[in-house]
Amino acid sequence: MIRILTVARVVWLDVIRRKDVYVLLILLAILLLALVSMNLFGFGGATAYVADIGLLMSWLFAWVLSLSIGCRLLPQEESRGTIFALLAKPVTRLELIVGKWLGACSVVGLATVCFYALVFGVSMLRGWSLPIVVALQAVALHAGVIGMIVAIAIMFSTRLNSDASATLAGALTATSFLVVPRIPEFVAQAGQLRGGILLFLYNLLPHFEIFDLRMRVLHGYAAVPAGTFALVLGYGVLVTTICLAIGWAAYRHKRFTRGSLSGY
Amino acid sequence: MRGVTVSFPSPGGAVMALSGLDLTVEPGQVFGFLGPNGAGKTTAMHVLLGFIDATAGEARLFGHDVRESIARQRIGYLPEHPDTYRFLTGRELLDLTARLFKLRGAARRRRVEESLATVGLYEAASRRIATYSRGMMQRICLAQALINDPDLVILDEPTGGLDPMGRMDIRRIIGELRDRGKTVFFSSHELSEVELVCDTIAILCHGRIVAQGPAASLVAPGEHLEQVFMKVIAEAEVAT
């Protein structure tokens, strides 16, 4: 475990010192301040409107961070050549992958908590009342999504360079966000063959929409029942584990050559 | 290493990097591993470190299969073009590396300070590695390789790109390691360096050992290693 935590700590120090997270946090703060002070379509400063946009931006920024950090961690070790010194230590490739995942998830997760705190803080200052239990559930489930996205990014990056894995992981996760929830509508209108293919994709692709509690938070709906909440989190753990296992299977016998980006 | 063969897939047919390589390094030796560019020196080291699986044959370190992580517990490795996490300070890097060997508390801190002192980077230890010169980068990577007080140190071209002072430092460190009974296995194109520090020499060409033995028996009195090297390689080229 100490090796996994050490690998994760290096990821932390890398991300913190690169300052990507600070830039997004400042960007979100500027955006929220602008929303509060502007008067668009007569809804200027309306608290639910500010919280809605703020939460959307939090999801967007967390997605960008998860992809950009998750996709670069392993290819960066190869392109810098640091992989050689690292794997010459008694670190297994599984420990390396899990450590990278843990480091990326924890740092993006913490950044996301900061995004939420900022959005909730600004909205509450405008008189919005925060449904605490649902808000905590929303943050926890969002952390589950981050875990899945980082695992998908790392899975692709075990065999591809950072640009290629960002493209593929970005396309896959964006499809899961935007298209997968609407597949049942398409199935109803499609023929048997197309409907079957669509249903197969519906079951294969990750379902991020079940982790999204933004509407419940914004409208102050009741909290998700504990059993359902645990089931959704369990689904997230399952998807994450499958992606990391596939990544490890692709990485465990990968050959590293001098300065290679993808090995053989 | 016993009968180690490595071939890489290539569009024009498989490229044979190592061809039935047999190699044993005895404890306490400074072993010079020589060969022209493309001879397979780095590939052999990478097999030894478990970066590459051999197509055939077996490689063992201290009796363990090289693919087992425990085999790497007692070794230190300096790659050919050493680079590391430039966003860390020298001391942070060594501390994190020591954690990978499960060194704890005072023992870890002591090893970090000793390694910094060995490579002469004590004064610069609190600076970010991004600000280090080429020679300092080489030395912090060497310190990283020595953090676990390894019994076997594998150095791939340790003096490449260093100025004369830097090369002398590396020679001094290799000498100190030998005096402490450590085994040093290193490759180099600086044959004069090899002549100065090595007990045993092996010359590799086209993935095979073409000459091997104690330095004193390979190089006759009045002869230089460079002459021996050129002769052996020329003979190997003719034979293939």
Side-chain angles (χ1 to χ4, degrees):
Chain A
M1 191 63 190
I2 191 169
R3 291 183 183 129
I4 291 174
L5 292 176
T6 303
V7 173
R9 196 166 160 182
V10 173
V11 175
W12 261 85
L13 291 168
D14 184 11
V15 174
I16 297 296
R17 290 178 185 175
R18 270 174 183 265
K19 302 181 178 64
D20 308 16
V21 177
Y22 309 129
V23 171
L24 289 179
L25 201 58
I26 292 166
L27 203 62
L28 183 62
I30 292 169
L31 185 79
L32 288 174
L33 288 175
L35 284 172
V36 168
S37 59
M38 281 184 348
N39 187 5
L40 293 171
F41 311 115
F43 292 107
T47 51
Y49 167 75
V50 172
D52 190 7
I53 301 281
L55 289 178
L56 177 66
M57 296 317 290
S58 300
W59 272 74
L60 187 65
F61 288 170
W63 178 67
V64 169
L65 275 179
S66 303
L67 282 180
S68 63
I69 295 171
C71 287
R72 77 173 179 233
L73 292 173
L74 290 173
Q76 185 174 265
E77 293 279 1
E78 291 176 52
S79 59
R80 282 176 181 161
T82 48
I83 192 75
F84 297 118
L86 185 58
L87 289 182
K89 310 287 182 293
V91 180
T92 64
R93 295 187 187 195
L94 179 62
E95 286 171 332
L96 178 63
I97 286 179
V98 175
K100 295 285 186 191
W101 173 82
L102 183 65
C105 280
S106 53
V107 78
V108 178
L110 184 68
T112 306
V113 169
C114 294
F115 295 154
Y116 272 83
L118 190 63
V119 172
F120 290 154
V122 170
S123 303
M124 285 165 76
L125 284 176
R126 303 286 301 181
W128 184 62
S129 63
L130 176 72
I132 292 174
V133 178
V134 185
L136 288 175
Q137 284 185 331
V139 174
L141 291 183
H142 196 171
V145 172
I146 290 166
M148 288 191 286
I149 297 174
V150 172
I152 290 168
I154 287 178
M155 177 182 74
F156 282 117
S157 71
T158 53
R159 282 285 166 176
L160 301 170
N161 66 31
S162 55
D163 292 342
S165 29
T167 305
L168 280 178
L172 177 67
T173 50
T175 304
S176 297
F177 271 123
L178 302 172
V179 180
V180 169
R182 301 198 58 197
I183 286 182
E185 296 169 33
F186 304 146
V187 172
Q189 297 158 16
Q192 200 174 5
L193 180 65
R194 280 188 195 168
I197 294 169
L198 286 171
L199 268 180
F200 174 72
L201 286 175
Y202 185 73
N203 290 312
L204 182 72
L205 293 170
H207 288 262
F208 297 136
E209 75 278 9
I210 58 175
F211 292 80
D212 185 2
L213 297 189
R214 280 177 298 151
M215 288 304 122
R216 276 182 187 265
V217 173
L218 287 173
H219 298 296
Y221 296 155
V224 177
T228 311
F229 179 73
L231 212 59
V232 174
L233 273 184
Y235 170 76
V237 170
L238 180 69
V239 171
T240 301
T241 308
I242 290 171
C243 291
L244 291 179
I246 295 171
W248 175 67
Y251 201 63
R252 60 190 296 218
H253 292 303
K254 184 174 182 180
R255 286 177 160 185
F256 296 107
T257 52
R258 278 174 287 187
S260 71
L261 278 173
S262 57
Y264 284 90
Chain B
M1 294 170 103
R2 286 281 167 272
V4 170
T5 296
V6 174
S7 62
F8 292 113
S10 160
V15 173
M16 195 72 89
L18 294 177
S19 180
L21 183 71
D22 290 316
L23 187 68
T24 303
V25 179
E26 298 299 333
Q29 284 185 335
V30 177
F31 193 105
F33 196 46
L34 311 181
N37 288 332
K41 301 184 297 295
T42 299
T43 303
M45 287 184 171
H46 284 190
V47 170
L48 205 54
L49 290 156
F51 301 156
I52 296 175
D53 288 341
T55 315
E58 65 161 3
R60 301 183 81 80
L61 277 171
F62 304 110
H64 297 284
D65 187 308
V66 291
R67 286 167 297 185
E68 296 169 25
S69 65
I70 194 167
R72 299 190 291 276
Q73 188 72 38
R74 291 163 60 194
I75 65 165
Y77 171 60
L78 179 72
E80 184 180 357
H81 301 293
D83 201 345
T84 190
Y85 306 115
R86 292 166 182 251
F87 51 88
L88 298 176
T89 66
R91 186 173 276 110
E92 282 173 341
L93 174 74
L94 297 186
D95 183 75
L96 288 165
T97 308
R99 286 171 195 267
L100 294 177
F101 287 97
K102 297 190 175 174
L103 294 175
R104 290 169 190 275
R108 187 177 70 236
R109 284 190 291 275
R110 184 171 43 86
R111 275 307 301 160
V112 168
E113 300 310 313
E114 282 173 3
S115 301
L116 284 168
T118 301
V119 298
L121 277 179
Y122 202 84
E123 301 295 321
S126 301
R127 272 169 49 193
R128 291 266 177 97
I129 294 170
T131 66
Y132 284 11
S133 67
R134 170 96 171 78
M136 290 166 86
M137 174 69 84
Q138 190 96 352
R139 281 190 282 158
I140 196 68
C141 290
L142 183 57
Q144 194 188 18
L146 300 177
I147 194 77
N148 56 327
D149 194 17
D151 293 321
L152 168 64
V153 184
I154 300 173
L155 308 172
D156 194 356
E157 309 273 358
T159 55
L162 291 185
D163 60 20
M165 300 293 281
R167 288 210 290 269
M168 208 162 72
D169 273 342
I170 298 288
R171 266 208 315 268
R172 174 185 58 79
I173 292 166
I174 291 174
E176 284 173 10
L177 288 168
R178 177 177 35 202
D179 294 344
R180 292 174 51 216
K182 308 291 184 184
T183 309
V184 182
F185 179 74
F186 84 102
S187 73
S188 179
H189 288 299
E190 303 286 339
L191 300 184
S192 54
E193 305 277 345
V194 174
E195 218 169 350
L196 282 171
V197 294
C198 284
D199 306 311
T200 306
I201 292 168
I203 301 176
L204 192 70
C205 187
H206 297 305
R208 291 172 192 275
I209 300 284
V210 289
Q212 183 177 352
S217 71
L218 273 183
V219 185
E223 211 177 21
H224 287 293
L225 179 59
E226 195 171 298
Q227 293 164 296
V228 175
F229 180 83
M230 299 304 281
K231 197 172 90 185
V232 166
I233 295 298
E235 284 169 5
E237 293 287 356
V238 169
T240 50

